[in-house]
Amino acid sequence: MTQDIALRPVVDLALEDAERALLEKSADGLFPATLPLPEEPGLGGRTKADIWTALGVSAVCALMPVTILWALIGAWPGLAVGLAAQAGLIWVGVQFGFEAFILTVVGVHLLAWLLIVVLGCGTDERQRVARLRHGRYYLAEDFGDDSLRELLGHSPLRRMERAQAAVTAVLQSQVDRDGLLDDIANDVTLPAQQYEIAQRLAELTRLARKVRTAAGDASGSRVEEVLRIQRQALRLSSSALEERVEALERYAENTRAADAAYREWEAVRELEQLGEDMHELVVNTVRDELAVAEIEGLADRSRLQDLHRMLDEAREAGLLATRFADEPADRRSGDSGRA
């Protein structure tokens, strides 16, 4: 199974959930476990760039607070406070003159700059946890690259990616989410397995790097013999890890198959539940067909009724016309004369 994915931080399961969530978010700002922890910048992680940036932001806050406070303390609270502060500055300028206005702006500027530097700059919570828990999480840099393949017989990074992909596939499966694998504590067991594999791979990477550095450009039969022995030891340990990764991948493949079977079973169950509705649909269809015939019959009868009515009217008109035609002409003229 191969998947081209970026390796996410592999974090010790024993850490608190909040710390794990911070560290697992991304690799940005974290430090490889196999490298020394860099020294923290002075002033609590605040840099010269932080100080100059805070100076510019505080100047805008002091002169036109309505334009920036919404971005610093939230949309509606910032807009309300910004409008109030802007109105206050205008009032000071109108009531006490331009000099008082400038002094107020300068005072607000210094106060805002101090607050931004103290509260808004420096090491944040995630960076603090990253330093505090250094060595208890692993990044892609901890697993070397393809240059170690000669010593280990594989790429440690690629193997770690495979293990993480397998664990993710199981934990994100539908059968696991629906509790069908509850006899296996996947949420605990699989992350623990992943972390152990990361520890072993990081150690293999560290030792392989040391062997490569120690050997350097040296050559000779004795060097080759020592390298051969150490390469055998590294590859023996690597083979054992490969078995663990393959076991995870088999579990992921079986889980995918179970997911497919589960989706099929759900589809069949839903279709079976539609059986009664389908039966009712068929019954209604038969009723509709009978109703169509009945409607057509009514239409035919309606047309016959119209025809009968029209024939009756014709007969009445014919009878009336016949009666007038049978009367004598002199009687009709006499009746007309008397009229």
Side-chain angles (χ1 to χ4, degrees):
M1 180 187 66
T2 59
Q3 293 184 14
D4 295 328
I5 60 172
L7 184 73
R8 302 185 304 277
V10 183
V11 184
D12 187 355
L13 193 64
L15 294 180
E16 295 181 0
D17 291 343
E19 293 183 339
R20 288 183 59 213
L22 284 174
L23 296 174
E24 289 176 345
K25 187 181 300 183
S26 73
D28 296 336
L30 305 187
F31 310 97
T34 52
L35 297 179
L37 184 65
E39 293 185 5
E40 184 176 4
L43 301 175
R46 296 171 182 84
T47 64
K48 291 182 180 180
D50 292 335
I51 294 174
W52 285 109
T53 301
L55 193 64
V57 173
S58 61
V60 178
C61 285
L63 189 60
M64 299 190 66
V66 70
T67 65
I68 198 167
L69 287 183
W70 65 269
L72 297 178
I73 61 176
W76 294 113
L79 184 60
V81 174
L83 286 172
Q86 196 73 64
L89 286 175
I90 295 173
W91 180 80
V92 168
V94 172
Q95 291 294 323
F96 302 102
F98 183 72
E99 183 177 351
F101 174 79
I102 292 299
L103 290 175
T104 302
V105 169
V106 171
V108 174
H109 180 197
L110 293 176
L111 179 60
W113 173 75
L114 183 62
L115 290 175
I116 292 174
V117 169
V118 173
L119 302 178
C121 298
T123 303
D124 60 15
E125 179 64 15
R126 187 167 185 270
Q127 293 171 330
R128 185 191 69 80
V129 173
R131 288 185 167 274
L132 180 64
R133 303 306 182 190
H134 179 248
R136 299 186 66 179
Y137 57 86
Y138 294 93
L139 311 178
E141 293 88 338
D142 292 312
F143 306 110
D145 51 34
D146 286 345
S147 64
L148 298 177
R149 190 182 295 273
E150 181 183 355
L151 287 172
L152 298 175
H154 68 90
S155 167
L157 177 58
R158 184 59 192 146
R159 184 164 290 179
M160 190 66 242
E161 289 174 345
R162 289 168 51 204
Q164 189 173 80
V167 170
T168 302
V170 175
L171 295 180
Q172 292 183 352
S173 65
Q174 186 176 356
V175 289
D176 188 66
R177 289 195 307 268
D178 290 353
L180 301 180
L181 302 177
D182 55 359
D183 56 330
I184 304 174
N186 288 324
D187 290 340
V188 176
T189 303
L190 293 184
Q193 288 275 353
Q194 179 181 248
Y195 186 69
E196 289 178 10
I197 291 173
Q199 285 181 308
R200 296 280 304 280
L201 283 173
E203 180 65 12
L204 275 175
T205 302
R206 185 184 68 83
L207 292 175
R209 284 169 171 168
K210 283 192 171 185
V211 169
R212 185 179 59 185
T213 301
D217 297 330
S219 60
S221 59
R222 296 189 63 183
V223 172
E224 290 297 328
E225 179 63 19
V226 174
L227 278 177
R228 183 183 65 81
I229 295 173
Q230 291 182 346
R231 188 183 295 112
Q232 285 180 348
L234 289 172
R235 292 196 175 192
L236 180 63
S237 180
S238 176
S239 297
L241 274 178
E242 175 65 16
E243 292 180 3
R244 293 183 68 172
V245 174
E246 288 179 351
L248 285 176
E249 289 180 328
R250 286 194 297 272
Y251 187 21
E253 287 296 333
N254 290 337
T255 302
R256 290 190 184 92
D259 253 1
Y262 186 45
R263 287 192 294 269
E264 181 181 4
W265 175 80
E266 281 191 324
V268 171
R269 185 183 61 176
E270 290 179 2
L271 290 172
E272 288 177 345
Q273 289 175 349
L274 289 174
E276 293 184 2
D277 294 337
M278 296 299 293
H279 177 73
E280 184 67 21
L281 179 64
V282 172
V283 171
N284 289 334
T285 301
V286 173
R287 291 174 180 170
D288 290 340
E289 293 175 351
L290 294 175
V292 168
E294 183 178 357
I295 292 171
E296 290 177 347
L298 290 175
D300 292 340
R301 288 195 293 272
S302 176
R303 286 193 291 271
L304 288 174
Q305 289 174 356
D306 290 340
L307 178 59
H308 292 159
R309 177 178 56 79
M310 294 172 67
L311 290 173
D312 290 339
E313 291 177 353
R315 289 193 188 96
E316 291 177 359
L319 291 175
L320 182 61
T322 302
R323 189 181 62 190
F324 274 97
D326 292 343
E327 290 183 356
D330 57 351
R331 181 179 175 183
R332 291 202 302 275
S333 61
D335 290 342
S336 59
R338 287 193 300 270

